[in-house]
Structures are given as structure tokens and as C-alpha cells.
Amino acid sequence: MPVFFSIDQYVGTVKLVGGRSMQPTFNTSAKNDAIVLDRWTARTLGYRRGDVVVLRSPHSPNDVLTKRV
């Protein structure tokens, strides 16, 4: 269990993306898309133009936003 937690927190994890804001890249069908979140790049601040980032909403910390850089 500690190994899975470490990978999830520091390397990457799989999440579901839903909503219309990222169409047509994600959610072209009625179902949610599964994406792999690369936490390693986020820790090294290796963002580039066109990357998709996931962050907590500043207004509602329980919500997660998906945005493009």
C-alpha cells in the first residue's frame, strides 16, 4: 500500500474528466474520459504551451478544474 500511495502522489495517477470546457479534446462522447495525470512534471514545473493542467478551484476547494496552458 505505501508503494501505491507514493506512485499516486509523486509520479502519476488516473482520473476521469467530465464537462464541456475541454471539448473537443476530451469528452467528445457522452461518457467521461480517463486521463493520466503526470505529477512528476507538475513538481518540476515543466509545463509547456498546449499542456492540460488539473488544479483545485480557488472558490470551491472540493472542485477540480481542467485547463489548457
Side-chain angles (χ1 to χ4, degrees), residues 11-53:
V11 178
T13 188
V14 177
K15 297 290 183 184
L16 294 177
V17 175
R20 298 183 329 189
S21 68
M22 291 303 293
Q23 286 179 347
T25 305
F26 300 118
N27 299 316
T28 55
S29 66
K31 298 180 181 178
N32 290 339
D33 288 338
I35 61 171
V36 176
L37 299 179
D38 177 11
R39 294 182 189 258
W40 186 262
T41 301
R43 291 194 180 283
T44 60
L45 300 178
Y47 302 113
R48 294 184 306 208
R49 184 178 181 186
D51 287 349
V52 175
V53 296

